[in-house]
Amino acid sequence: MVNPEEIVRAETELVVLDDAPAWREFHERVLRRAGFGQVNSYPAQPSLLYDHINHGRGRRADLVVFAIQPQSEFSWENLRLVRGFFQGPVLATSERFDPAIRERAHGLGVPDYISVGDCGEEGLELKVETALTAFRINSLIDDNDQRTQRIFLNIMTVMVKLLENKDPYTRFHSHSVAIWSRMIGRRRGLSEEDLIRLGLAAVFHDFGKIGIPEEILNKPAKLTDEEFTIMKQHPTIARDLLSSLDLMHDLLPAITHHHERWDGRGYPAGLKTDQIPLWGRIICIADAYDTMASRRTYKEPMPEEKVLAELHRGRATQFDPELVDILVQILAEKAAEKAHEKGNGNGNGLNHTAL
Ligand SMILES: [Fe+2]
């Protein structure tokens, strides 16, 4: 049977710009084997790419792989020049991973970065594919086209659902975190527009778990130190996967930092107090609350008094103290509403108008 992905790859033309002949050969071999129809490689000079596109008799570049020499200002200048005239996706590569390279490339408008030495052949193939896909999705989206944006967000939401469907007890977790985040955010004084974006960030907060092995994600027992180290990568995986999508840009700080702690002992960056983006702090407490108060494969829901005790215990250590006070107040109001409704013989405790 014909595989549509294979056809798209065979039609795709890639250009590799790399000063090292051995690495050029490596890139060509890996990408050709992955089924990309045309792979041309040159030394990392912008003029060679320019000639390839403009004087290459119908040749084009759907994506450029640019091997950066991080110590060379000349190399950075060349990357800037490539970004200046080439409109398609550019994937920056280096031999060894360095977050400083990623930041600097990002600053030049090159959000896709991989270290080939660390990620290997499979990682390179995957990164080229995701960079191409992200670029194609972005090209479909016109800022003024609400309908396309909605369709796109629906696709992303389906991906989150697929992830959560693996575990029946987390099926509604992201949406639940979104609801609680919006409730807390509203009390904290966020605008209606910000509340919509905060809700979206909350829906996607664990999107990076898509890159965590299933046996770790669904392990019914406590994770080992090694497994926990892998699990802790999910916020940065989400940031890396979503960073090339313009539509998600304002959500990335919240998604990346939803596991930071008020006392600085969280991850991935060890930010503390108001260094942590506000939306990230809100999602953090909403996430913790929903996890404590819900059933999981490995645990029963925690009784309300215990949840409250945990929130107080985490006040100004794990959580923003102001947000703890807000959530505790919301929970007290919900409990009062519930008691009142029980008195009136009406059992639905959740006040949807508050969402
Ligand atoms: Fe998370």
Side-chain angles (χ1 to χ4, degrees), residues 7-257:
I7 296 175
V8 174
R9 279 197 182 190
E11 290 289 316
T12 302
E13 299 191 17
L14 307 177
V15 170
V16 177
L17 296 178
D18 194 327
D19 284 328
W23 280 105
R24 283 206 295 276
E25 195 267 330
F26 167 83
H27 282 103
E28 282 204 23
R29 180 170 46 81
V30 172
L31 296 170
R32 284 217 181 95
R33 202 171 52 209
F36 291 102
Q38 279 286 338
V39 186
N40 290 286
S41 67
Y42 306 99
Q45 293 164 22
S47 59
L48 296 174
L49 174 65
Y50 189 85
D51 286 347
H52 174 91
I53 298 169
N54 293 299
H55 308 297
R57 272 186 253 139
R59 284 196 296 194
R60 54 173 214 274
D62 296 308
L63 175 140
V64 169
V65 177
F66 188 98
I68 191 83
Q69 304 294 331
Q71 309 305 335
S72 158
E73 284 307 311
F74 185 63
S75 178
W76 284 106
E77 175 59 15
N78 281 343
L79 177 59
R80 195 186 64 76
L81 288 170
V82 165
R83 181 69 294 171
F85 71 83
F86 177 64
Q87 306 299 319
V90 177
L91 170 62
T93 68
S94 68
E95 227 172 302
R96 287 283 153 228
F97 178 77
D98 181 349
I101 301 177
R102 183 174 54 202
E103 295 308 314
R104 191 162 175 191
H106 213 287
L108 291 176
V110 180
D112 291 304
Y113 163 67
I114 187 175
S115 94
V116 194
D118 295 317
C119 297
E121 303 187 4
E122 218 173 287
L124 173 66
E125 180 188 338
L126 189 68
K127 192 73 189 180
V128 166
E129 187 59 49
T130 52
L132 280 165
T133 306
F135 182 77
R136 286 173 185 139
I137 291 174
N138 267 335
S139 335
L140 290 174
I141 297 170
D142 175 340
D143 276 348
N144 299 315
D145 184 349
Q146 295 286 330
R147 193 168 159 271
T148 324
Q149 291 202 20
R150 245 192 349 258
I151 291 170
F152 169 70
L153 285 175
N154 285 346
I155 293 171
M156 303 291 285
T157 311
V158 167
M159 286 176 79
V160 172
K161 278 189 189 149
L162 283 175
L163 179 72
E164 294 187 342
N165 269 345
K166 287 180 187 170
D167 177 353
Y169 293 119
T170 59
R171 194 161 291 167
F172 303 109
H173 175 64
S174 291
H175 283 96
S176 183
V177 173
I179 289 169
W180 285 98
S181 294
R182 285 163 56 93
M183 273 195 276
I184 297 165
R186 177 165 283 126
R187 299 273 175 119
R188 181 62 172 64
L190 298 190
S191 68
E192 284 305 311
E193 203 180 313
D194 279 355
L195 288 173
I196 290 172
R197 302 303 290 170
L198 168 64
L200 264 182
V203 166
F204 294 115
H205 76 281
D206 270 345
F207 188 75
K209 286 189 177 170
I210 233 155
I212 304 294
E214 224 166 299
E215 59 274 20
I216 296 182
L217 269 188
N218 297 333
K219 188 175 173 182
K222 198 167 179 283
L223 299 181
T224 63
D225 287 352
E226 201 180 322
E227 288 165 339
F228 191 52
T229 305
I230 295 171
M231 186 63 145
K232 284 202 299 195
Q233 294 171 355
H234 76 271
T236 37
I237 292 175
R239 181 195 58 193
D240 292 348
L241 287 175
L242 302 174
S243 65
S244 28
L245 303 169
D246 293 342
L247 203 59
M248 310 286 285
H249 247 237
D250 59 326
L251 313 182
L252 293 183
I255 294 172
T256 309
H257 297 292

